[in-house]
Amino acid sequence: MKKLLHLSIFVWIWFSVSTVSAQDETRGSLLYKITGNGLSKPSYLYGTMHVADRMAFRLPDTFFDAIESVDVVALEINPDSMLSVMLKTFLNPDFEDHSYGEGGNFYENLSMTESFNEYYFRQLLTSADNISNDLMFRSSFSGEEYEESTYLDLFIFQSGKKLKKKISGVEDFAESFRLEMLSYREDMKSRDYYGGRGSNAPSIDEIESAYRRQDIDKIDSLSRKSMSESRYKYFIVARNVNQADSLAALMRDNSVFCGVGAGHLGGDSGVVNLLRYKGFTVEPVIDKLTKAGESKKAKFEKLDYTLSYKPFAPADSAFFVSMPGHVYDLSSNENKILYFSPDMVNGGSYEVIRVRPNEFFSGTTPAELLKLQDSLLFECVPGNIELRKKITLPGGIKGIEVVTESREGNSLRAQLFTTGQEIIIFKVSGLEKYAVSKNAKPFFSSIKFAPAHSEAIKPYVDANLGIQVALPENRLIEKNFRQKPVEKSTDALKIYAYDKGGDRRYKVIMATYNDYLYLEEDTFELRAIINEFFENEYADDYTVKQTVTKPFPVAEGYGKSGDLYYFVRATLNNN
């Protein structure tokens, strides 16, 4: 009798499982169809991995059909809105804590400017490549033969844009960041960031294996094992709730294709179950990739998104150029200025780089600097040089144009100009022939330089800093003091001015230096600054002396380096 009872229970359980509807199934698919609860058209949910690895691109035919069928394409965060935050913070070379000031010798940093050499030049020509890679490609470089041209989330975004779908997001970047910080805070209190798991955490191979099997419940289980309780609570579950709420609201008026990390789909608190709790029917779409899907993927990739160009000029109006989108200032210091405008949809980046190496203050002429750049191109440009020629813009500004192609077949086109004040590089890079395509032409054809400023001596006044100094109007000004309220900064204000056709050059530096550790005499500080200046300029001979003590201490220095003569004056205001 007992045997019969056990058998009856087993048969009942087996029968119940075998008759579970597709609505309750969560294995064997990363694509889910959402219907019911008042929806007039189906919507779709897909679990992504934020990588370019081909493993993430095992996409079924219905993946492409679903994107084509909807009104809105959504991701965790809308790339259009996320871009501004990322480029102003995490991807900005200057995003760091300045509260402890700059490292090294303050006196040396105050006057030191980099010299132009092959290393310096190479860095300029690849200045935003890492940023472009993080934003648009996620290439591992070492494994790029096994990767797609972009990561899956961005492929979904690009496809939506090219198909003229509305683009949206199901999370707010600030809220997601707040939740992540909450998890860190609780982990710090409990000292349980790894939840005691540490080396026992699942490996990447285990997670990738679950993703290949499209087992979202297993992915959720592995996520739990790899995180502390608080991190899983805030970074996964709380975000799942936000994603499900936002997607439900978005589907009321639109059919939606939504791609979120696969780790958010499975489990009792996953987005799939949360949508079911809200009354939606959520069913896995079981399908495979065939030649039809591969053809659609290739079709999506070949579609071109039409760009809208707008004129751009920096604050000093030194030049004008048309850019295809918002321009971000990613300058890491006052001697290297980078303006960056990414084309996230077609896979290209537009840059303008302005540099003022030490040669400008040490007597090197623009013609000599241009010749130096030309001689270093072979060593410093990435890839094989396909085109190299000298160019001249209206107004007589001379430059060099270079086009290169990398081993992977990607392109770069740059035009380099040297004025009497700075080197300015206009550069486009991107996938395949992007840099020489129709997209890049409006950028290069629009380049114009402003007429040279007057060399008449006129006062420069800044009431905020309490400074007035007579300088030629032909000047470049860098103001960073409003952006960096720091304890110790060598770049609060820098002014470069030129007259006599560049034969006479002037530099004004205003810096903040609150030194609480070493209380040196003011006169020592001033002499140390001037001494470091002459050392950096490799002066053959120089003298430094104190000239005034009241109301503010002043020191002066006279020096000579070859045919160049220097006069330096330093003063200090303790107010």
Side-chain angles (χ1 to χ4, degrees):
M1 190 69 175
K2 287 183 179 180
K3 290 181 181 180
L4 179 61
L5 178 62
H6 289 166
L7 179 62
S8 299
I9 293 173
F10 173 78
V11 171
W12 179 81
I13 293 173
W14 176 84
F15 180 77
S16 298
V17 172
S18 68
T19 57
V20 167
S21 70
Q23 155 78 351
D24 298 317
E25 183 57 64
T26 57
R27 291 187 180 86
S29 182
L30 295 169
L31 179 63
Y32 289 80
K33 182 179 179 181
I34 307 168
T35 56
N37 201 14
L39 299 185
S40 59
K41 288 176 63 179
S43 287
Y44 297 88
L45 177 66
Y46 191 83
T48 70
M49 285 193 82
H50 313 313
V51 296
D53 194 289
R54 286 178 185 165
M55 172 198 62
F57 281 81
R58 300 161 66 95
L59 306 170
D61 291 359
T62 44
F63 173 94
F64 305 99
D65 297 336
I67 291 180
E68 284 186 311
S69 71
V70 299
D71 307 315
V72 176
V73 168
L75 293 166
E76 290 178 6
I77 298 171
N78 184 343
D80 284 332
S81 61
M82 179 178 66
L83 187 61
S84 179
V85 177
M86 291 180 68
L87 285 173
K88 289 177 180 177
T89 54
F90 307 115
L91 293 181
N92 193 318
D94 206 34
F95 180 64
E96 56 182 298
D97 183 3
H98 291 275
S99 59
Y100 297 104
E102 299 181 2
N105 184 330
F106 173 80
Y107 311 122
E108 182 180 8
N109 292 339
L110 187 62
S111 60
M112 186 170 62
T113 305
E114 287 188 78
S115 294
F116 195 94
N117 54 39
E118 63 274 12
Y119 174 77
Y120 183 91
F121 195 24
R122 189 178 294 123
Q123 292 293 105
L124 297 180
L125 292 172
T126 60
S127 54
D129 287 0
N130 288 336
I131 297 173
S132 296
N133 184 54
D134 288 341
L135 285 176
M136 292 183 279
F137 311 122
R138 304 270 173 94
S139 172
S140 65
F141 297 110
S142 61
E144 56 194 9
E145 292 294 332
Y146 309 96
E147 296 173 340
E148 296 293 311
S149 59
T150 188
Y151 54 103
L152 181 55
D153 305 76
L154 198 67
F155 174 77
I156 295 171
F157 166 76
Q158 291 172 340
S159 299
K161 280 279 195 178
K162 291 174 180 180
L163 293 170
K164 297 180 171 56
K165 309 294 184 182
K166 296 176 185 175
I167 305 297
S168 188
V170 290
E171 288 188 84
D172 175 71
F173 185 88
E175 172 62 10
S176 298
F177 186 71
R178 185 187 72 84
L179 290 171
E180 185 164 15
M181 292 302 102
L182 276 175
S183 74
Y184 287 140
R185 197 170 302 149
E186 289 199 8
D187 287 337
M188 291 292 287
K189 288 180 181 178
S190 62
R191 298 184 179 182
D192 184 36
Y193 181 73
Y194 295 103
R197 288 170 276 277
S199 60
N200 295 321
S203 67
I204 294 296
D205 289 341
E206 289 180 90
I207 296 171
E208 289 181 350
S209 176
Y211 191 85
R212 287 190 181 93
R213 297 196 309 273
Q214 303 188 21
D215 187 344
I216 62 173
D217 284 338
K218 182 64 174 179
I219 294 171
D220 174 68
S221 173
L222 293 172
S223 294
R224 281 179 179 267
K225 291 179 181 178
S226 65
M227 299 179 185
S228 67
E229 289 185 13
S230 62
R231 183 161 177 79
Y232 183 80
K233 171 185 172 183
Y234 290 112
F235 194 69
I236 299 296
V237 176
R239 290 179 60 204
N240 292 351
V241 172
N242 291 340
Q243 291 173 8
D245 289 346
S246 296
L247 180 55
L250 199 56
M251 291 189 297
R252 290 301 175 196
D253 301 312
N254 308 275
S255 57
V256 182
F257 182 98
C258 179
V260 299
H264 293 285
L265 264 59
D268 294 338
S269 302
V271 176
V272 169
N273 274 335
L274 291 176
L275 290 173
R276 287 170 177 167
Y277 297 151
K278 290 177 181 292
F280 296 100
T281 299
V282 186
E283 302 171 292
V285 179
I286 309 298
D287 197 6
K288 60 183 179 180
L289 175 64
T290 68
K291 291 292 183 182
E294 290 177 355
S295 296
K296 280 200 173 181
K297 178 176 179 290
K299 171 190 166 186
F300 286 7
E301 289 174 330
K302 288 179 180 178
L303 289 173
D304 188 64
Y305 180 76
T306 303
L307 301 175
S308 178
Y309 296 83
K310 294 181 180 179
F312 168 76
D316 61 0
S317 300
F319 63 85
F320 304 88
V321 67
S322 293
M323 291 285 215
H326 186 80
V327 180
Y328 300 91
D329 183 346
L330 302 185
S331 307
S332 58
N333 62 58
E334 72 287 348
N335 294 315
K336 295 180 185 178
I337 301 172
L338 170 62
Y339 304 108
F340 179 69
S341 181
D343 174 7
M344 297 280 286
V345 183
N346 297 311
S349 65
Y350 296 72
E351 302 164 44
V352 182
I353 306 131
R354 305 174 68 179
V355 292
R356 295 153 195 169
N358 191 53
E359 282 75 5
F360 278 103
F361 198 70
S362 299
T364 307
T365 67
E368 289 170 336
L369 265 175
L370 199 61
K371 185 177 180 181
L372 176 60
Q373 293 170 63
D374 192 31
S375 70
L376 292 174
L377 277 176
F378 175 74
E379 295 181 46
C380 297
V381 293
N384 296 318
I385 296 177
E386 303 289 317
L387 172 71
R388 174 180 181 171
K389 65 179 182 180
K390 295 179 180 180
I391 55 177
T392 303
L393 292 185
I397 301 292
K398 297 185 182 299
I400 304 167
E401 179 169 4
V402 61
V403 175
T404 71
E405 183 175 302
S406 70
R407 292 179 181 177
E408 296 75 36
N410 297 326
S411 57
L412 177 149
R413 181 183 177 188
Q415 291 186 356
L416 306 88
F417 300 94
T418 302
T419 71
Q421 301 173 324
E422 58 187 337
I423 295 170
I424 304 182
I425 300 172
F426 298 85
K427 174 189 157 189
V428 174
S429 59
L431 294 172
E432 299 179 348
K433 300 294 184 182
Y434 185 96
V436 292
S437 70
K438 64 179 183 179
N439 287 327
K441 288 180 180 178
F443 175 78
F444 288 106
S445 64
S446 65
I447 297 171
K448 293 179 182 177
F449 286 90
H453 293 285
S454 164
E455 293 185 352
I457 303 292
K458 290 193 176 180
Y460 170 81
V461 180
D462 192 310
N464 291 314
L465 286 176
I467 182 175
Q468 176 173 322
V469 58
L471 292 167
E473 282 191 295
N474 187 14
R475 60 180 72 141
L476 297 168
I477 301 169
E478 289 293 339
K479 293 182 179 181
N480 292 322
F481 63 94
R482 294 191 184 92
Q483 302 170 22
K484 302 175 185 176
V486 300
E487 293 294 318
K488 181 167 42 173
S489 169
T490 59
D491 58 359
L493 173 68
K494 285 194 176 182
I495 307 173
Y496 303 82
Y498 308 83
D499 70 356
K500 300 295 182 183
D503 288 342
R504 292 182 183 175
R505 307 182 181 199
Y506 306 76
K507 186 188 292 187
V508 176
I509 303 171
M510 194 165 194
T512 302
Y513 184 35
N514 296 324
D515 189 348
Y516 305 113
L517 299 177
Y518 301 100
L519 301 179
E520 305 287 4
E521 290 288 338
D522 293 345
T523 53
F524 170 84
E525 305 275 12
L526 297 179
R527 289 196 301 271
I529 289 169
I530 297 175
N531 281 325
E532 286 290 351
F533 171 82
F534 285 124
E535 291 294 327
N536 288 331
E537 293 297 325
Y538 300 103
D540 303 324
D541 184 38
Y542 63 88
T543 59
V544 181
K545 63 179 181 179
Q546 181 89 25
T547 59
V548 179
T549 56
K550 293 182 180 180
F552 306 117
V554 176
E556 294 178 349
Y558 298 84
K560 180 178 180 294
S561 178
D563 296 332
L564 298 175
Y565 294 84
Y566 296 94
F567 168 70
V568 184
R569 173 178 287 169
T571 185
L572 187 137
N573 185 346
N574 284 317
N575 294 336

